[in-house]
Amino acid sequence: DHDDTPFVPEAYATELARVADRAVDLDRDTTDPPGRLNAWTETVSDDRVRQLDAHLLADLMQMKRDVPAWRELAGLAVARINVLVVVGEFEAAAFLVTAIRLQHEGHPTEGIRAAAAPILGEVLNPGLMRHVASHLDGSDASAIGAAKQFCHALGTAVIPLLAEVLSREERGRPRQHLIAILAAFG
């Protein structure tokens, strides 16, 4: 049994005991106004955490100068993109695709610029596009806009995959949205 008493100042121990006696159930704590609680809750929402995760991955990729370490992070980013698309978080997925594209276009390390092109190719697959289509069955304009943003972040290489998914899609609303996304490519 370990005793921390010799290492904890008496005033601190007294304050800890007082706080423990006054502990409140946070669900019933009304000391913070609802606006502050809502603002805090938004910072830890699933969507916000996914966005922060995407930003962290993009920042780490930008900082890497070692090609094998960069590839490892980029592989993690591709896996994260796949998960984000499955859950319908297209904004974060588009952010990561754009980050990888920017690595290809302007990373200070030539080897990383060269390694980024095939990484983008890993994202382009029919299964992922079917997941995109599965989220287009609603009328939420922001979700549809985010899916469009994601597809456009992938670039024109996504057009054949979208066309393939469209050719197999039987539901009316997803077909309309896929046609609109394709038409936006020009």
Side-chain angles (χ1 to χ4, degrees):
D1 198 317
H2 179 72
D3 182 19
D4 288 332
T5 307
F7 308 105
V8 178
E10 185 177 332
Y12 185 72
T14 303
E15 186 61 27
L16 281 177
R18 271 186 55 237
V19 168
D21 290 341
R22 295 182 314 172
V24 293
D25 184 1
L26 291 177
D27 289 336
R28 292 182 295 198
D29 183 16
T30 58
T31 56
D32 288 322
R36 183 179 299 153
L37 290 175
N38 290 338
W40 177 82
T41 302
E42 288 175 14
T43 67
V44 293
S45 70
D46 290 342
D47 290 345
R48 184 67 179 132
V49 170
R50 287 185 202 110
Q51 290 171 357
L52 290 170
D53 181 57
H55 282 267
L56 176 62
L57 270 172
D59 288 346
L60 289 172
M61 284 190 300
Q62 181 62 33
M63 291 178 0
K64 290 294 179 190
R65 300 292 184 255
D66 176 56
V67 176
W70 185 89
R71 277 192 182 119
E72 188 175 331
L73 280 171
L76 182 59
V78 168
R80 179 65 60 210
I81 290 166
N82 287 320
V83 168
L84 291 168
V85 170
V86 168
V87 299
E89 180 53 58
F90 294 112
E91 289 178 27
F95 180 82
L96 281 173
V97 166
T98 301
I100 295 170
R101 181 176 306 286
L102 290 174
Q103 302 289 300
H104 173 63
E105 294 169 358
H107 196 282
T109 305
E110 184 178 332
I112 291 175
R113 287 193 306 270
I119 295 293
L120 283 172
E122 291 180 30
V123 177
L124 294 168
N125 66 73
L128 193 66
M129 292 304 111
R130 283 191 295 275
H131 283 295
V132 171
S134 73
H135 292 285
L136 297 176
D137 201 15
S139 58
D140 180 6
S142 65
I144 294 160
K148 179 180 175 183
Q149 176 189 3
F150 171 71
C151 292
H152 282 268
L154 289 168
T156 56
V158 77
I159 292 173
L161 296 171
L162 287 172
E164 180 183 335
V165 170
L166 175 63
S167 71
R168 297 172 188 221
E169 182 59 60
E170 295 178 1
R171 298 168 296 161
R173 196 173 282 166
R175 284 183 60 77
Q176 290 174 334
H177 296 308
L178 285 166
I179 289 169
I181 290 171
L182 281 166
F185 278 101

